[in-house]
């Protein structure tokens, strides 16, 4: 197995992530989450301090679904910190049992990054492999996205406490991770969704507990205008996620009133930022005008995927 991550004295001490994995957002303690964001800001400002941080480390990236940002930013993050990676696409556990895949990888690499259909696949990999497993998006969560998004909001507003983030659209993986992460840091989180596309009630209940502890609020509504009222950041995502393409036509009917267009953005707080995890379907969940507006931070979010994931790798691979 590779040597522990070498630390820059500038950010030392890096605290390790006690759970050993990032299967879901809640795997990070609040202190770890705060530390990770601080480290992400430092890594972004001082990338050269980390050129050797992953020397001797190799990671395996397993992708059951397509990816531009997640795959490339993980590959780049690892390479830019002196490590190496191998990537495989295809269903995990189809050619041979998942538990065999996990134990093969255990002997070869320092960590697994997995994009899966089922959350159970991520959990099973973490169960069978002793090395860290990172959820690179599942049907339920997208924790790496939420980390980069919070980094982006913090850059824009200088802090997170009391900032209102509104998600318009499907109660999906991105919405789940955002509500679980934003609420822990004292943000107010609102989701406006079409009827029938609610987030998981148990995840909302958990977010409400986080919000209560941190002084924030969670609001779930079906009214997009009510949702964006007083919002500092308005976020949306595709109406049909990967794996739901067969529902795309039916969803269009239900989601039409939830498009984040110029008119809806005008009902948010003046200067509110527009956010999207990308890829975006212009003309569906948002418009070209909103995507290209000066309030759009979508490419800053995409850039921060690189920095936030570097911080995550440093903390997960640190002894
Ligand atoms: N936002 C995001 O995860 O993009 P990819 O699907 O391209 O990785
Ligand atoms: N909700 C989307 C996010 C893509 C990054 C999906 O799962 O396809």
């Amino acid at each position: 197995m590779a040597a522990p991550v070498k630390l820059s004295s500038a950010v030392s001490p890096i605290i390790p992530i006690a759970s050993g994995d990032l299967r879901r957002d809640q795997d990070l303690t609040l202190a770890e989450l705060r530390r990770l964001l601080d480290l992400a800001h430092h890594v972004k400002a001082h990338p050269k301090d980390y050129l050797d941080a992953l020397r001797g480390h190799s990671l395996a990236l397993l992708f059951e679904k397509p990816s531009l940002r997640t795959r490339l930013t993980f590959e780049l993050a690892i390479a830019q910190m002196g490590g190496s990676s191998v990537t495989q696409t295809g269903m995990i556990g189809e050619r041979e049992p998942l538990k065999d895949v996990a134990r093969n990888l255990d002997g070869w690499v320092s960590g697994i990054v997995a994009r899966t259909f089922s959350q159970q696949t991520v959990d099973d990999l973490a169960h069978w492999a002793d090395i860290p497993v990172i959820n690179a998006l599942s049907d339920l969560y997208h924790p790496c996205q939420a980390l980069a998004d919070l980094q982006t909001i913090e850059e824009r507003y200088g802090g997170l406490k009391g900032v209102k983030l509104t998600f318009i659209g499907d109660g999906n993986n991105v919405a789940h991770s955002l509500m679980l992460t934003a609420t822990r840091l004292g943000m107010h989180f609102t989701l406006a969704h079409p009827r029938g596309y609610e987030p998981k009630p148990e995840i909302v209940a958990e977010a409400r507990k986080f919000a209560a502890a941190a002084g924030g609020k969670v609001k779930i509504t079906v009214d997009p205008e009510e949702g964006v009222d007083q919002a500092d950041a308005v976020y949306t995502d595709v109406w049909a996620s990967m794996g739901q393409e067969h529902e795309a036509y039916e969803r269009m009917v239900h989601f039409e009133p939830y498009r984040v267009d110029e008119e809806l953005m005008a009902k948010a707080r003046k200067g509110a930022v527009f956010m999207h995890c990308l890829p975006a379907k212009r003309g569906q969940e948002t418009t070209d005008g909103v995507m290209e507006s000066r309030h759009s931070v979508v490419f800053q979010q995409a850039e921060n995927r690189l920095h936030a994931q570097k911080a995550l790798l440093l903390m997960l691979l640190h002894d």
Side-chain angles (χ1 to χ4, degrees):
M1 201 44 64
V5 166
K6 288 196 211 89
L7 301 180
S8 150
S9 56
V11 292
S12 208
I14 289 180
I15 56 170
I17 292 171
S19 71
D21 298 298
L22 184 66
R23 295 166 304 138
R24 46 176 59 72
D25 308 83
Q26 308 92 307
D27 281 354
L28 295 175
T29 66
L30 176 57
E32 289 164 0
L33 171 59
R34 187 55 266 166
R35 205 53 185 268
L36 194 153
L37 290 174
D38 291 342
L39 186 55
H41 292 305
H42 193 274
V43 167
K44 183 171 181 175
H46 306 281
K48 295 213 168 88
D49 285 3
Y50 301 89
L51 289 179
D52 285 326
L54 292 192
R55 187 164 303 286
H57 283 278
S58 302
L59 284 99
L61 278 51
L62 309 180
F63 278 75
E64 292 187 334
K65 295 170 173 171
S67 171
L68 173 72
R69 282 147 291 273
T70 310
R71 176 175 170 171
L72 296 191
T73 53
F74 265 112
E75 290 181 353
L76 288 165
I78 295 162
Q80 289 175 8
M81 295 195 294
S84 64
S85 62
V86 285
T87 302
Q88 190 163 71
T89 57
M91 292 303 287
I92 302 164
E94 228 172 52
R95 181 165 174 255
E96 59 187 305
L98 178 149
K99 61 185 180 181
D100 291 358
V101 173
R103 287 171 295 174
N104 274 273
L105 295 178
D106 233 359
W108 300 332
V109 294
S110 308
I112 300 170
V113 175
R115 168 166 286 193
T116 65
F117 282 91
S118 164
Q119 175 63 27
Q120 193 61 50
T121 305
V122 176
D123 292 343
D124 289 347
L125 284 170
H127 175 78
W128 287 103
D130 286 336
I131 51 179
V133 171
I134 297 172
N135 181 343
L137 180 150
S138 68
D139 54 353
L140 279 187
Y141 304 101
H142 196 359
C144 298
Q145 180 69 51
L147 295 172
D149 295 340
L150 279 255
Q151 181 180 4
T152 308
I153 296 170
E154 199 156 55
E155 286 172 340
R156 175 68 177 73
Y157 290 107
L160 297 170
K161 215 167 168 50
V163 175
K164 178 173 171 181
L165 169 63
T166 294
F167 186 99
I168 304 287
D170 192 14
N172 65 12
N173 44 10
V174 173
H176 287 155
S177 282
L178 282 174
M179 77 173 77
L180 288 167
T181 306
T183 50
R184 296 171 88 193
L185 293 159
M187 293 181 71
H188 305 305
F189 180 85
T190 295
L191 168 65
H193 65 82
R195 279 183 217 285
Y197 297 95
E198 290 79 12
K200 295 271 181 223
E202 60 276 19
I203 293 178
V204 176
E206 212 162 357
R208 285 196 199 283
K209 273 194 223 144
F210 290 147
K217 286 193 210 91
V218 174
K219 182 173 189 163
I220 310 292
T221 174
V222 292
D223 182 344
E225 291 191 14
E226 184 191 342
V228 298
D229 184 47
Q230 301 299 316
D232 299 294
V234 179
Y235 200 121
T236 192
D237 185 12
V238 289
W239 292 342
S241 285
M242 291 180 278
Q244 298 170 336
E245 289 83 358
H246 59 287
E247 296 175 25
Y249 186 74
E250 181 194 335
R251 281 174 174 254
M252 257 185 232
V253 179
H254 295 106
F255 281 81
E256 187 70 25
Y258 294 83
R259 175 173 303 119
V260 178
D261 55 14
E262 289 81 343
E263 207 183 318
L264 191 63
M265 281 303 292
K267 298 199 160 81
R269 226 184 253 275
K270 196 169 162 22
V273 293
F274 171 72
M275 305 183 74
H276 195 307
C277 52
L278 305 181
K281 286 205 180 340
R282 288 163 160 88
Q284 290 194 21
E285 74 272 8
T286 190
T287 62
D288 191 54
V290 169
M291 282 280 289
E292 302 296 338
S293 79
R294 66 192 172 91
H295 297 303
S296 169
V297 293
V298 299
F299 299 113
Q300 191 177 331
Q301 291 172 259
E303 182 193 332
N304 285 338
R305 297 293 306 275
L306 177 70
H307 310 302
Q309 284 158 205
K310 281 184 177 173
L312 174 64
L313 290 165
L314 289 167
M315 287 174 66
L316 266 180
L317 299 179
H318 177 50
D319 276 349

